[in-house]
DNA sequence: ACCTGAACACCGTTCAAGT
DNA sequence: ACCTGAACACCGTTCAAGT
């Protein structure tokens, strides 16, 4: 017991914001959003819940800080690409993979507006769009289109993972359950969902995500009449 | 006091699921997601919190039902369009306007995977995409792209509204505050966000949303080599 | 100055007791 | 059969008391 605590915080080591955020990430990775409570966090840090408030304003602040650490990490791993289109795709996939690995990041991104992680993502997309030499009056809309798409997929991904976690399902069981409920739908009321149910179990989230990014980028390119 | 209650539920009128959902929507519209508690809902229905569980499984179920009522309403108001592209745009704008009017719908859409409101939206998009005669292997990806974008914008919209509500800001104050914090950013670290801050206050969310839909649709059309 | 942890104000949900 | 509302288990957050 004592040893587990010492691993995180030395006997006399002072608390710090980064220490707290690091512990929060461990809990989020292990138990998801629902598992991150101030009680659990304090326990891991071998202190009382009140101590955390010396470094963290509130739970949203904590979630934003944890999310920011992950997003900043994706940022750092970014490679330089000759083609800005490739650069956007690489970055988008980076964010997707991070969310895929840690679904709580997706949930935090949709829920915490104007916070630093979101600005980081928006700015990265904006820089690449700017490098495309999109007409000035299309720059903002183009950036927002890509940004909103990334955040939207992230949110859905997070919600799916949360559901799967709460029902103790893996990905296969999750898709099977969805396919089952969709094939039970009324074909009159939900013709598309009903008909697409059988294909559901063997589709690739990552490929779908990339295809969507591709559509948006091609749309931006076509609308802006960019030569590539 | 008593009169206010009678308006919602007659002296001896039995409780019903639709009655409960209707009351929930009133509360959500007035006080947002945070305002919807079983206590507040029971008070409005002139009953105890426990009674609600006879008709509603849990809070997610309640939220999904409320959301579904709104989405179904958008569905019903849908006009037939000769051009499937116009049909998608009209539907997307319908959802956008519904979320704009009731931000909690956006939050519910991102958070409740596989629930009926989401399936409704997905199916509507899928039907229109199918009407475009997109190649079969692109149908799913095309549908998901539009769907994810709509849900993503909805989620962001909801988060913004929640923030504005909690700080008692209107839209102008919200944008002004965002513009201020973005212009204070480090131009080295956030070149795009920093430079775009001044334009922030006079942009049109709805126009941005439509521009994004346009990009995606043009992308789908171009990738599928559809003649229009 | 910083930590501690009991206390507070709230949730969603349950369930024995009433009608 | 349905409602009632106290009770339960749990949150985030605060703050007086300790070191």
């Amino acid at each position: 017991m004592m040893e587990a605590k010492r691993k995180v915080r030395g006997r006399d080591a002072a608390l710090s914001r980064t220490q707290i955020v690091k512990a929060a990430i461990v809990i989020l990775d292990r138990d998801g959003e629902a598992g991150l409570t101030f009680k659990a966090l304090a326990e891991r840090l071998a202190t009382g819940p009140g101590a955390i408030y010396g470094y963290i304003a509130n739970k949203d602040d904590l979630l934003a800080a944890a999310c920011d650490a992950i997003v900043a990490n994706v940022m750092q791993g970014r490679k330089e690409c000759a083609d800005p289109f490739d650069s956007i795709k690489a970055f988008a996939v980076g964010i997707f993979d991070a969310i895929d690995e840690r679904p709580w990041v997706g949930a935090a991104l949709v829920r915490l507006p104007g916070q630093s992680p979101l600005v980081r993502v928006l700015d990265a997309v904006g820089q690449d769009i700017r490098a495309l030499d999109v007409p000035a009056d299309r720059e903002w809309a183009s950036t927002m289109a890509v940004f909103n798409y990334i955040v939207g997929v992230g949110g859905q991904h997070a919600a799916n993972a949360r559901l799967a976690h709460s029902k103790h399902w893996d990905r296969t069981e999750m898709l099977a359950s969805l396919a089952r409920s969709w094939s039970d739908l009324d074909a009159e009321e939900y013709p598309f969902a009903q008909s697409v149910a059988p294909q559901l179990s063997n589709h690739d989230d990552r490929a779908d995500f990339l295809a969507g990014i591709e559509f948006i980028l091609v749309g931006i390119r076509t609308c802006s009449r960019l030569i590539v």
Side-chain angles (χ1 to χ4, degrees), chain A:
Chain A
M1 289 291 142
M2 264 306 186
E3 280 168 50
K5 287 174 185 180
R6 281 217 205 102
K7 266 187 212 165
V8 174
R9 190 162 70 107
R11 214 185 296 238
D12 297 329
L15 226 43
S16 77
R17 190 174 159 94
T18 47
Q19 200 65 257
I20 293 171
V21 171
K22 212 176 271 185
I25 291 175
V26 172
I27 295 176
L28 284 163
D29 285 345
R30 190 179 10 116
D31 305 319
E33 305 170 67
L36 181 64
T37 66
F38 278 79
K39 186 168 165 280
L41 187 56
E43 227 161 76
R44 233 199 118 73
L45 293 164
T47 181
I52 297 165
Y53 285 88
Y55 306 86
I56 302 285
N58 52 43
K59 199 175 176 179
D60 272 2
D61 182 31
L62 176 60
L63 224 49
C67 191
D68 201 46
I70 306 298
V71 172
N73 195 46
V74 174
M75 237 71 192
Q76 239 183 0
R78 214 142 69 103
K79 302 184 203 83
E80 294 287 323
C81 295
D83 181 10
F85 282 107
D86 292 336
S87 183
I88 295 187
K89 278 185 244 177
F91 172 66
V93 167
I95 294 287
F96 178 87
D97 287 339
I99 291 173
D100 193 42
E101 196 187 334
R102 305 180 214 252
W104 56 268
V105 171
L109 279 178
V110 267
R111 265 219 333 258
L112 306 172
Q115 297 271 20
S116 48
L118 237 353
V119 181
R120 274 209 155 83
V121 173
L122 182 76
D123 200 89
V125 173
Q127 282 182 51
D128 282 333
I129 292 285
R130 195 162 271 180
L132 286 178
D133 288 321
V134 165
D137 61 322
R138 300 245 176 199
E139 199 178 79
W140 173 258
S142 302
T143 303
M144 287 306 282
V146 174
F147 172 76
N148 281 320
Y149 176 75
I150 292 174
V151 171
V153 174
Q156 289 293 96
H157 222 82
N160 285 332
R162 203 165 55 101
L163 180 65
H165 185 269
S166 78
K167 303 225 177 189
H168 304 283
W169 286 343
D170 61 19
R171 206 191 110 85
T172 314
E173 289 170 311
M174 176 83 196
L175 285 174
S177 150
L178 203 62
R180 212 177 316 115
S181 75
W182 283 17
S183 60
D184 285 346
L185 288 173
D186 179 28
E188 295 277 322
E189 207 176 347
Y190 302 97
F192 179 80
Q194 206 271 341
S195 73
V196 96
Q199 310 168 31
L200 214 59
S201 35
N202 54 3
H203 84 119
D204 180 348
D205 282 338
R206 202 170 186 268
D208 288 347
F209 172 76
L210 248 175
I213 289 282
E214 191 74 40
F215 285 139
I216 299 176
L217 291 179
V218 169
I220 291 171
R221 180 157 52 185
T222 306
C223 288
S224 306
R225 292 186 182 72
L226 295 173
I227 302 140
V228 174

